[in-house]
Amino acid sequence: MKYRENLIQIGLLLTALSTIAILFLIALFILHEGLPIILKVGIKGFICGSHWSPQQGHFGIFPMIIGTVWITIGALLVSLPLSLSCAIYLSEFSTTKVRAVLKPVIELLAGIPSVVYGFIGMVVLFPMVRNYFGGTGPCILSAAIILGIMILPTITSIAIDSLQAVPYSFREGSLSLGATRWQTIRMVILPAAKSGILSGIILGVGRAVGETMAVIMIAGNSVIIPGSFLDPVRTLTANIALEMNYATGDHRQALFATGIVLFIAIIILNIIANTIARRGVEK
Amino acid sequence: MEDKIVVKGLNLCFDTHHVLKSIDLNIRANEILSIIGPANSGKTSFLRTLNRLNDIISTVKITGEILLDGIDIYKKDILLPWLRRKVGMVFALPVPLPRSIFENIVYGPRLNGVTSKAKLEELVEKTLKAAFLWDEVKDRLHLSGTKLSGGQQQRLCIARALALEPEVILLDEPCSGLDPLSTSRIEEALYELKKQYTIVLVTNNTKQAARVGDNVAFFLMGEMIEYGSTEQIFTVPHDKRTEDYITGRFG
Amino acid sequence: MLKPIFYEQVMKRILFIGTAITVFILFFIILYILKNGLPVVDLEFLLSSPKDFGRAGGIFPCIVGTIVLTLVAIIIATPLGVGTAIYLREYTREGRLTSIIRFGTECLAGIPSIIFGLFGFVLFVVYLGFGWSILSGGLTMTFMILPTIIRTSEEAIKSVPASYREVSLSLGATKWQTIIKVVLPSALPGIVTGIILGVARSIEETAVVIFTAGSVLRIPTSLFDSCRTMSVHFYILAREGISMENAYGTAAILIITILLINMFAYWLMHRLMAKYS
């Protein structure tokens, strides 16, 4: 009987290690496929090169990095005011009942497929952008708005949880000293919930950086370093998805190399989020 | 009477916290030993060393010897399920598993390989009667155990422990959450049960110890201060601290 | 004294407007899709095969493809995920090993789907020679939904009262018997929630499926057949402008499915929490 129990424990340990194994496998395969071209072109040439024309053997992904960065910043600019005010309102001002209904509703919306968001961008947002700002529609602005909306539920939900985790006594203490509710929020609650909210934002950033299908549908996908927010751009993810179907040889390796850059970026974001969350807990 | 359990030089630590300090104690067969003492005196931890339930806490360190019928229960090749079937336990708060009354009682026997329906039914009736619960629930054995009242739940837990056909029964403040009527029912049951079993009863209630115990051990801050017959402890305690406790000066 | 109170009123209004906009946008998206999509949807649309690349006809093969692919992913991911959760909660103390596994799980949850797509493509489609197939797609999807299942199962197992475990052990059960007979049954609603969320994730995913399962528009007959899921079908219809009408219809089905699934999962989890708190 003891023998059997030990066997089960070992089996479960192996199961638990599977996630680590998968992570390693992914890293291994992507590196194996993509590293040769990075070494060939040079890290600097690959990351800072602004010329991407696989047929001629030019592999610089700088425009895609810039595209990703701009779209992500734009998405944050769209998302933060909305998600934070939503979180603060629902956590601090609304009644418990309203919060109990709206929070799950907002979380449910995290489940809308990204292709649907992309589609909404095409049919609803493009005409609006054309009318009010000019251009053809697919551009940084459109992509930023749609991605901003996509990451709304993630950030809002985590921010509400962090605000709710602040002990009730903090609020009572501050209010009893004559602070208004807004002063209490600004000086007591937000600082206390800061680390949780920040890690939520970083998760949102991760989601925006990693989004593929919606971005392909609305960002325009031109390999240029954008001059304005109405220029079409291509993100790292779009670069992979668009060319993977027909890429061979060095070209295919370059796409995997794009994946490496993306992979590293996401792992770094996760480490940051993790560190912030842990520091919050320790405090 | 012979000694059922012999405890020699028992020490128990959680991390750096020294919970039990060199306990020596003999528990005789077919008696009720009550263990009394204020909160945090190590009573419950002691009880849980007798069926090795402290083992599930990974920071625990135990030294010393506990012999059950002369067998060291902390020996390496002891199978815990075997030990725990020999030494049944009833917890302070009644915890019926989320299943029917019937299924609660046959949980242990089934694990032990009893499959015959007739045998299981017989066991359920026998143990429920022994726990003075049969008349109240005999028509609704398939009701969820969690639907019973607190007192009934605790008697169900006693019946469930009896169904293991143990030799020793550990009770950890079994009446702490119950009303006087339920308490007296359970005490009645205990009195009957000691004919067949050896019973160790941890209680916060000195009066209860005086009512049902044959012998009493008084624990304080992880030490066993005094051990003696119930009569002696409650009439002429040797130790000043025992006297202070049972007369209600602290605790 | 008037100023802070006035300021608070202003802030409250601003926050309220932000909340209203958020809720409005999210509802708008759903209603917009449903309004344009539902008129297209009828039994015929659900149960007939597409004609002319999806310009006409229904989406039946895509429904089948979605279901089969999801099933493969769930069947593999559930034992792995639940096993991991059991190990983390029942067999170890919090320590270096658990924090490494948790970190790995979080990283896996954060990896963009396109990376999973690339990985699944190299490993299953090319290296192991499964080709664009349900098997390749399902296996890759397994890795994507694993973190969700681990996380929710862990929460569910954590919520089972410790006293249940003590009682079971005290009745002579081994650790494993306790887990099988007491812990898992009590945690079941939570575990099912995790699985359901995994199903939702698998249904909405597009990039991974295109790279690993392909997009062949036929009813699959074996695990080695390529298939096209509803999300992929919708993407192709919309992006290539094949049929806006059918794109709306597919999107409506997708959204309704996902919302129902998520609502069910939420309800289950809520019930579990209510039971033990």
Side-chain angles (χ1 to χ4, degrees), chain B residues 48 53 56 58-59 81 84-85 91 95 97-99 107-108 111 160 164, chain C residues 93 163-164 166-174 177-178 181-182 186 276:
Chain B
R48 289 161 64 106
L53 206 56
I56 58 176
S58 51
T59 55
R84 286 168 185 160
R85 273 197 291 273
F91 296 82
V95 183
L97 295 173
R99 47 181 79 197
Y107 183 81
L111 290 174
R160 189 172 61 186
L164 298 172
Chain C
R93 274 171 83 180
S163 56
Y164 283 12
E166 291 189 352
V167 163
S168 173
L169 291 173
S170 80
L171 293 173
T174 63
Q177 285 169 331
T178 301
K181 288 179 184 279
V182 176
S186 302
Y276 294 120

Side-chain angles (χ1 to χ4, degrees), chain A residues 3 8 19 26 45 60 69 78 82 88 122 129 134 157 167 185 195 201 243 276 278:
Chain A
Y3 177 71
I8 288 169
T19 48
I26 293 177
V69 169
V78 171
L82 290 178
I88 296 173
M122 287 168 62
V129 170
S157 158
I185 292 168
S195 65
I201 293 174
E243 299 187 358
I276 291 175
R278 194 169 323 135

Side-chain angles (χ1 to χ4, degrees), chain B residues 19-39:
Chain B
V19 178
L20 292 174
K21 297 164 192 161
S22 16
I23 307 285
D24 293 295
L25 179 62
N26 292 7
I27 302 171
R28 297 206 188 102
N30 298 89
E31 70 159 18
I32 297 182
L33 169 71
S34 338
I35 299 178
I36 56 170

Side-chain angles (χ1 to χ4, degrees), chain A residues 39-61:
Chain A
L39 297 176
K40 199 162 139 192
V41 183
I43 292 180
K44 194 162 171 249
F46 185 69
I47 291 179
C48 303
S50 55
H51 203 48
W52 174 270
S53 43
Q55 278 74 27
Q56 282 79 48
H58 295 299
F59 300 107
I61 59 165

Side-chain angles (χ1 to χ4, degrees), chain A residues 5 8 12-13 15 19 22 29 85-86 89 104 108-109 111 115 119 180-182 244 256 259 266 271 274, chain C residues 7-8 11 15-16 19 26 30 80 84 87 91 103 106 110 115 122-123 143 174 176 204 211 248 258 262:
Chain A
E5 289 282 315
I8 288 169
L12 286 171
L13 170 64
T15 313
T19 48
I22 293 168
F29 269 88
S85 47
C86 196
Y89 186 82
L108 287 184
L109 294 162
V115 276
F119 182 66
T180 65
R181 264 150 93 191
W182 173 246
M244 198 58 209
F256 276 93
I266 292 293
I271 292 175
N274 215 20
Chain C
Y7 196 56
E8 167 170 304
M11 281 317 296
L15 293 175
F16 177 77
T19 309
L26 296 169
I30 290 183
L80 276 181
T84 304
Y87 187 80
Y91 281 90
F103 180 68
E106 270 162 45
I115 303 259
V122 195
L123 179 61
F143 301 161
T174 63
W176 181 242
E204 72 200 37
F211 281 111
Y248 276 119
I258 299 271
N262 279 346

Side-chain angles (χ1 to χ4, degrees), chain B residues 35-50:
Chain B
I35 299 178
I36 56 170
N40 295 322
S41 53
K43 299 176 311 231
T44 296
S45 296
F46 174 73
L47 201 68
R48 289 161 64 106
T49 57
L50 300 180

Side-chain angles (χ1 to χ4, degrees), chain A residues 244-247 252, chain C residues 69 117 120-122 124-126 129-138 140 207-216 220 222-228:
Chain A
M244 198 58 209
N245 276 334
Y246 56 86
R252 209 181 90 169
Chain C
L69 191 90
F121 174 72
V122 195
F124 299 120
V125 178
V126 180
F130 296 161
W132 280 296
S133 62
I134 292 174
L135 190 61
S136 305
T140 315
V208 166
V209 183
I210 292 187
F211 281 111
T212 55
S215 58
V216 170
S222 93
L223 282 183
F224 290 97
D225 272 3
S226 166
C227 73
R228 181 187 283 194

Side-chain angles (χ1 to χ4, degrees), chain C residues 64-225:
Chain C
V64 175
T66 308
I67 293 174
V68 179
L69 191 90
T70 303
L71 267 181
V72 172
I74 291 299
I75 287 171
I76 305 170
T78 302
L80 276 181
V82 176
T84 304
I86 292 174
Y87 187 80
L88 288 176
R89 277 285 151 211
E90 303 287 325
Y91 281 90
T92 46
R93 274 171 83 180
E94 291 298 313
R96 174 163 293 195
L97 182 67
T98 53
S99 61
I100 290 177
I101 294 174
R102 289 224 170 79
F103 180 68
T105 313
E106 270 162 45
C107 281
L108 212 56
I111 288 180
S113 52
I114 188 78
I115 303 259
F116 281 103
L118 278 181
F119 167 67
F121 174 72
V122 195
L123 179 61
F124 299 120
V125 178
V126 180
Y127 198 75
L128 294 176
F130 296 161
W132 280 296
S133 62
I134 292 174
L135 190 61
S136 305
L139 286 169
T140 315
M141 198 66 82
T142 298
F143 301 161
M144 277 193 76
I145 62 180
L146 199 50
T148 314
I149 295 186
I150 294 176
R151 226 182 276 156
T152 24
S153 304
E154 250 202 279
E155 285 301 313
I157 290 173
K158 198 168 79 178
S159 75
V160 178
S163 56
Y164 283 12
R165 298 179 178 85
E166 291 189 352
V167 163
S168 173
L169 291 173
S170 80
L171 293 173
T174 63
K175 195 167 194 169
W176 181 242
Q177 285 169 331
T178 301
I179 291 169
I180 289 293
K181 288 179 184 279
V182 176
V183 177
L184 288 186
S186 302
L188 196 65
I191 294 172
V192 173
T193 304
I195 296 171
I196 292 172
L197 291 176
V199 169
R201 179 97 202 260
S202 156
I203 292 176
E204 72 200 37
E205 183 52 47
T206 312
V208 166
V209 183
I210 292 187
F211 281 111
T212 55
S215 58
V216 170
L217 195 44
R218 235 178 306 143
I219 295 178
T221 51
S222 93
L223 282 183
F224 290 97
D225 272 3

